[in-house]
Amino acid sequence: MKALFKNVSIYVDGKFIKADAILSNGSLSITDGVSSDFKGKVFDFSGKAIFPGFCDVHVHFREPGFSYKETIKSGCASAVRGGFTAVCTMPNLKPVPDSVENLKVQTDIIEKDATIAVLPYGSITVGQKGEVLSDLDGMAKNVVAFSDDGKGVQDGNLMMSAMENAKRLDKIVVAHCEDEKLVNGGYIHDGEYAKEHGHKGICSESEWAPIVRDIELIKKTGCRYHVCHVSAKGSVDAIRKAKQAGVDITCETAPHYLVLSDKDLQEDGRFKMNPPLRGEEDRKALIEGILDGTVDMIATDHAPHSKEEKSKGLQGSVFGVVGLETSFPIMYTYLVKTGIITLEKLVEIMSVNPRKRFGLQIDEGFSVWDLEKEYVINPQDFLSQGKATPFEGFKVFGENLLTVYNGKIVYNNLG
C-alpha cells in the first residue's frame, strides 16, 4: 500500500509535529513535498495522529490450555485493533511455562500465529504453586521476564531466591502482589459498596503489604522489580518512597483503576477483576502517581473469559476483564481530553516507558488514529473472544485506522 497522509500529527522524539507523511511498503517517512505524479491514495489527516506502536506488558492470551477464552491469533487481532505492536503474555497457562519444554508449547504457537511481538513470561515457580523455583536458567533467553501473575509468591524466602537468580540472569521479576491470608474470601474492594450490598471485600493491605515486603528484598538482592496492576493508594505510597530511596522498582496500573472506583460497581461480572476497583481515594492516588512518575506505565491486564464464566454476577463470576481495544480511547477521552495529562504523556506511559523498562525494540511499528471520531464502546464489536468490559456503553474519542508492525500492515480500517 502506498499513501500520502497530509496534515497529520506525528510523535517524534517526545513531541508531536504537524507534517505530511508517505506510507510505502509499510514504511513511514516525513516529506516536505510530493511530486504531482504521486501514485497512491491521498488522505487529508487533519485531526489524525500517528503514534509509535503501543506496548502492553500484561496480557493473558490463554493459549495453550484455555483457547475457548482467547488464542494467540484472536489476542493479536484485538491488540492490533488497539494500536499495540508488542505484548507480554502471562504464564497462567496449561502447561505453565515453568521449563524449557513447557515454554516451547507456547512459543511454537506464537511463531505460527502471532502478527506482532508476543513476548512470553516464564513462571517464577513450578506450576505457579509457590513451592519450588521454575527452571529460570533454562528459560531466561526465551522469556521477557519472570512472573507468577494470577498468584502472589507467598513465601518471602522463595521470592528472595527468585530475585537473586533473576539478578544473576539480568531479568526482571514481575510481581502479582497479593497476600492470600488477607483476602478472606473477598471478591470486590472492601469499601462502601461491599458493605451496602452484602459482598465480601478484599482489603487494600493485601496488595500493598507484599509490595512493602518485596521492597526490602530488592534492597538485599539488587534485583530489577516490577509491580503488576497497582490499584491502591498504599501501594502508590510505598513505591514512591522506594523510588525516592533509589530502589530499582517500577509499576503499572490499568485504565479501569484510573477511571472507575467501587462507586461505579454494578451487579455484573464485567466489573469483577483482581485486584478490584477500589475507592475514590485510591483512584486519585493512582492519577497522582501517573503525574509524578511513580506509576510508570499503563497495562490492560487483558483477561478474557467465556460469556458463561462472566455471567454469574460479582460473587460468582471469575476475575478478569478485557482491555486491549479500549485502552487508548479510554485514556485519551478521560485523561487527555479532560486535561489531566498531555497526549505526549499518554504515549510515554503506553509505549515509551514499557519498552525502555523491559528492553524492547522502540521503532518496530506505529498506529494511525482519528482523534475526533466519537463512538460508544460495544463489546460485541471486539475482535477479542472476551467481551467483558466495565466500559461497555461509554462514549469515547479515538478510533484506530491503521496498525503497522515491522513494515507490514496488520490492521487496516482506512476504508
Side-chain angles (χ1 to χ4, degrees), residues 120-386:
Y121 285 97
S123 69
I124 294 174
T125 66
V126 174
Q128 292 188 286
K129 294 179 180 179
E131 298 170 353
V132 179
L133 288 183
S134 299
D135 180 10
L136 306 185
D137 283 74
M139 294 188 293
K141 67 179 180 179
N142 292 315
V143 297
V144 65
F146 298 116
S147 180
D148 262 9
D149 183 64
K151 296 184 178 180
V153 177
Q154 305 301 301
D155 185 330
N157 290 326
L158 189 63
M159 178 58 98
M160 185 163 74
S161 180
M163 287 184 179
E164 290 170 341
N165 280 276
K167 168 70 173 177
R168 176 174 55 80
L169 295 166
D170 193 25
K171 289 292 180 180
I172 303 175
V173 168
V174 177
H176 173 113
C177 291
E178 182 177 34
D179 187 334
E180 294 174 359
K181 296 190 300 294
L182 298 175
V183 173
N184 293 322
Y187 45 88
I188 64 171
H189 176 56
D190 185 19
E192 290 303 314
Y193 189 95
K195 294 181 178 69
E196 291 172 1
H197 295 81
H199 291 297
K200 291 184 178 179
I202 303 173
C203 67
S204 297
E205 186 180 358
S206 66
E207 176 180 297
W208 60 254
I211 296 174
V212 172
R213 179 202 73 178
D214 286 356
I215 286 169
E216 295 306 308
L217 298 180
I218 305 165
K219 292 176 182 177
K220 293 178 181 179
T221 62
C223 171
R224 292 186 292 150
Y225 179 88
H226 177 81
V227 187
C228 293
H229 43 50
V230 168
S231 70
K233 180 180 185 299
S235 302
V236 178
D237 292 343
I239 293 165
R240 179 183 291 114
K241 184 178 179 181
K243 284 189 170 189
Q244 291 169 347
V247 175
D248 193 350
I249 183 172
T250 54
C251 70
E252 69 197 41
T253 193
H256 41 272
Y257 302 123
L258 293 166
V259 175
L260 303 172
S261 67
D262 67 342
K263 68 180 176 58
D264 299 298
L265 286 171
Q266 298 177 26
E267 296 295 313
D268 191 312
R270 64 190 178 90
F271 289 88
K272 185 177 182 181
M273 70 287 292
N274 189 26
L277 296 176
R278 298 204 184 271
E280 188 66 10
E281 182 183 21
D282 299 289
R283 188 186 72 82
K284 291 178 179 178
L286 289 167
I287 289 177
E288 185 60 37
I290 291 282
L291 293 173
D292 70 11
T294 301
V295 178
D296 301 271
M297 63 194 76
I298 299 292
T300 63
D301 193 5
H302 177 86
H305 294 288
S306 70
K307 182 178 179 180
E308 180 183 2
E309 289 171 322
K310 294 298 290 182
S311 66
K312 300 174 183 178
L314 289 175
Q315 182 174 355
S317 296
V318 295
F319 290 109
V321 296
V322 295
L324 285 168
E325 292 167 68
T326 58
S327 183
F328 177 82
I330 287 291
M331 293 292 86
Y332 176 67
T333 302
Y334 292 94
L335 292 191
V336 177
K337 287 185 71 66
T338 56
I340 295 172
I341 64 173
T342 65
L343 187 57
E344 288 84 356
K345 179 68 172 181
L346 184 55
V347 174
E348 179 184 317
I349 59 179
M350 286 190 66
S351 179
V352 178
N353 287 356
R355 292 176 187 280
K356 283 184 177 179
R357 178 56 166 169
F358 284 79
L360 307 181
Q361 186 176 338
I362 299 296
D363 58 353
E364 81 212 338
F366 60 90
S367 59
V368 183
W369 289 76
D370 181 349
L371 298 181
E372 297 176 349
K373 174 70 172 181
E374 184 180 15
Y375 58 98
V376 174
I377 291 175
N378 178 3
Q380 298 313 309
D381 294 336
F382 289 172
L383 299 181
S384 170
Q385 291 177 199

Side-chain angles (χ1 to χ4, degrees), residues 1-4 23 37-43:
M1 179 183 183
K2 190 169 187 179
L4 171 63
L23 174 68
D37 61 347
F38 173 77
K39 298 290 193 300
K41 292 184 177 181
V42 179
F43 296 89

